[in-house]
Amino acid sequence: MDNEFTIDEQPVPFVPGQTILEAAKAAGYYIPHLCFQPDFKRHGGCKLCTVLVNGRTQTACTHKAAVGQEVDVNTPELNAMRRSLVQMLFIEGNHFCPACEKSGACQLQALGYEYEMMSPHFVELYPHREVDATHPDVMIDFNRCILCELCVRASRDVDHKEIFAVAGRGLDAKLIINSPTGKLGDSAFAVADRAAQVCPVGAIVIKRVGFATAIGDRPYDREPISAEAESCELPEVR
Amino acid sequence: MNAPGDEKVKIRLATTSLAGCFGCHMSFLDIDERIFELAEIAELDRSPLTDIKHFGPCDIALVEGGVCNAENVHVARELRASAKILVAVGACAINGGLPALRNRLDIDTILTRVYRDPITDQPCVPNSRELPLPLDKVYPLNEIVRVDYSLPGCPPSGDAIWKFLTDLILGRMPRLDHSLMRYD
Ligand code: SF4
Ligand code: SF4
Ligand code: FES
């Protein structure tokens, strides 16, 4: 019984210090997430990983696992909430998947599939956002940014460049770029940066490789995103 | 629901394309020989595949395309009033799709830029009474009429359409498993 808790009534072991999400991943149990990647500081922003811990909602990517916790993950209510979150992320930006080069490799879209999102349901906001193609190797399409701050964390904590930040609040929140003109082409950003690789959606895309893998043959075309749980290694504990 | 001795009453199915590309209708035809099975149990009402001019009472309506002009609004409303179950089929009906990429631009600017007299370079926007007026934006179908179900895909595959339609006809909650669920 030491260092064990339950997920949907199944026993799951953990290493002290691990979050519920990390322990679940290590045990091959899928908890959805968008703003979490094992290499970066926890953020707790997207709320996709919301679970019930002893009946209270918590974000599994930030909440530490503890002995005897009873965690609910895969319940109809939580899954319906996750679907609504994905729907809100869709209408808050401009997500036209048929015209997006990330389609099939996009985690937001894959979560839509996972939670049977048949439509975005809410009234479309159709915000006016720009595309920044000034950088020779990387393009940013702000229409598809979900403000997960993975690029912010990667650039700050791994690349040590602090190229990205989120400015503003609520619906006015937006990703900004640290350069004299605010354009990516005038920043110190490089295609080899970790921040160029982390975007879970089609916002930061590397030029000239977008269609190297044909649509229909991409990771989430082949397998649901929840299948990743079976192949995940134990993430490093921070 | 038929009285004994009655002819088997067929399901009435309507289909229409609003601001779409007819891709969803082409995909509908991709059900291939299953169309004979469908013809056994269903009869087409107004549809690009028939020459019926107005919708009659029907059980299921499949709508492709978003709503981009006054005629689309009219057709969508007539269909909503006629159909028991209305399905938004494909990306454009669901979120406006690629035609909605114009939503960030002002419609007047678009028209006066596109329609110009080549000699005088003055705007010459067509203004015939035959032409439906464009709307300020392209709207998803569910922002104009009530939509009962949505079937995503650009277009949804013939298999996805078949699964969805047969679920509906059999009175089941229409569901797509991972292999049929696509937004692109
Ligand atoms: S970023 Fe993802 S959800 Fe958005 S348009 Fe691209 S594939 Fe679709
Ligand atoms: S650009 Fe991509 S990685 Fe950066 S905040 Fe937006 S969605 Fe996240
Ligand atoms: S993954 Fe936990 S809040 Fe985003």
Side-chain angles (χ1 to χ4, degrees):
Chain A
M1 177 60 195
D2 31 10
N3 292 348
E4 208 172 83
F5 67 109
T6 64
I7 289 184
D8 295 339
E9 294 170 12
Q10 300 300 309
V12 174
F14 70 94
V15 180
Q18 261 182 336
T19 60
I20 292 173
L21 181 56
E22 287 164 340
K25 264 179 172 285
Y29 206 100
Y30 179 68
I31 298 180
H33 52 86
L34 258 179
C35 71
F36 164 87
Q37 278 188 23
D39 291 349
F40 305 106
K41 204 166 163 262
R42 298 163 196 138
H43 179 54
C46 73
K47 309 297 175 198
L48 256 296
C49 69
T50 299
V51 295
L52 292 181
V53 181
N54 299 333
R56 287 168 183 264
T57 51
Q58 303 285 357
T59 44
C61 70
T62 57
H63 198 84
K64 295 246 165 67
V67 176
Q69 273 171 345
E70 290 174 11
V71 179
D72 294 335
V73 175
N74 192 9
T75 72
E77 293 78 12
L78 286 170
N79 289 342
M81 178 217 68
R82 292 177 183 125
R83 181 167 57 236
S84 299
L85 285 174
V86 173
Q87 287 170 322
M88 288 190 269
L89 287 170
F90 263 77
I91 58 110
E92 197 179 300
N94 291 305
H95 292 275
F96 298 104
C97 299
C100 178
E101 63 184 81
K102 189 82 170 193
S103 197
C106 167
Q107 294 185 14
L108 179 65
Q109 181 190 64
L111 286 164
Y113 295 168
E114 184 72 25
Y115 294 107
E116 297 188 72
M117 179 187 107
M118 305 301 265
S119 82
H121 177 79
F122 300 106
V123 173
E124 292 282 344
L125 296 185
Y126 295 134
H128 286 202
R129 299 205 201 145
E130 299 300 323
V131 175
D132 179 348
T134 54
H135 193 280
D137 303 315
V138 184
M139 186 183 86
I140 296 200
D141 187 339
F142 294 104
N143 290 289
R144 305 177 191 142
C145 174
I146 56 168
L147 299 172
C148 70
E149 297 198 25
L150 275 164
C151 59
V152 176
R153 285 173 275 163
S155 187
R156 184 189 61 209
D157 304 336
V158 181
D159 306 328
H160 304 294
K161 289 189 179 176
E162 298 199 336
I163 307 253
F164 303 101
V166 171
R169 292 203 166 266
L171 269 184
D172 294 328
K174 59 176 185 188
L175 190 70
I176 53 168
I177 292 165
N178 180 5
S179 80
T181 54
K183 295 286 182 202
L184 195 62
D186 296 321
S187 73
F189 196 58
V191 66
D193 286 1
R194 203 53 210 286
Q197 324 288 332
V198 290
C199 186
V201 295
I204 300 183
V205 289
I206 297 175
K207 291 182 177 177
R208 296 177 291 278
V209 297
F211 293 94
T213 308
I215 284 190
D217 208 17
R218 299 179 174 191
Y220 306 125
D221 294 333
R222 292 196 298 266
E223 272 194 324
I225 191 167
S226 54
E228 73 175 28
E230 289 139 39
S231 58
C232 206
E233 285 159 24
L234 186 74
E236 151 201 345
V237 181
R238 271 171 305 274
Chain B
M1 282 195 290
N2 307 334
D6 269 7
E7 284 269 305
K8 194 165 176 244
V9 176
K10 287 188 171 181
I11 282 177
R12 282 194 77 79
L13 178 68
T15 77
T16 192
S17 177
L18 307 177
C21 70
F22 266 90
C24 294
H25 275 83
M26 297 311 287
S27 211
F28 177 48
L29 295 180
D30 278 341
I31 66 173
D32 296 333
E33 72 281 2
R34 286 169 290 191
I35 203 156
F36 295 117
E37 244 177 278
L38 186 63
E40 295 274 311
I41 50 168
E43 199 164 23
L44 279 178
D45 193 86
R46 174 176 161 179
S47 158
L49 309 172
T50 65
D51 201 22
I52 301 172
K53 302 295 183 214
H54 289 280
F55 298 111
C58 49
D59 298 288
I60 300 174
L62 306 179
V63 186
E64 160 194 327
V67 180
C68 80
N69 63 29
E71 196 244 351
N72 291 163
V73 176
H74 180 81
V75 173
R77 286 187 178 154
E78 183 181 302
L79 188 51
R80 176 68 275 185
S82 315
K84 286 187 197 150
I85 298 175
L86 188 137
V87 187
V89 179
C92 302
I94 288 172
N95 79 344
L98 299 196
L101 290 178
R102 80 151 153 96
N103 287 356
R104 52 171 295 125
L105 303 169
D106 173 60
I107 182 67
D108 198 41
T109 314
I110 302 177
L111 288 171
T112 48
R113 279 231 201 138
V114 171
Y115 293 99
R116 295 193 90 82
D117 186 301
I119 295 165
T120 63
D121 200 33
Q122 291 303 306
C124 57
V125 180
N127 194 20
S128 159
R129 279 197 301 168
E130 304 254 306
L131 293 173
L133 284 175
L135 304 182
D136 62 332
K137 284 196 298 186
V138 178
Y139 291 87
L141 190 60
N142 75 341
E143 292 183 24
I144 304 297
V145 295
R146 185 171 56 79
V147 166
D148 299 302
Y149 295 97
S150 301
L151 167 53
C154 185
S157 65
D159 288 342
I161 294 175
W162 181 250
K163 170 70 169 57
F164 203 93
L165 203 52
T166 46
D167 277 354
L168 271 184
I169 291 171
L170 295 172
R172 293 192 294 238
M173 173 75 180
R175 292 180 77 176
L176 302 176
D177 66 16
H178 180 262
S179 65
L180 297 178
M181 178 77 119
R182 296 287 298 261
Y183 299 161
D184 59 10

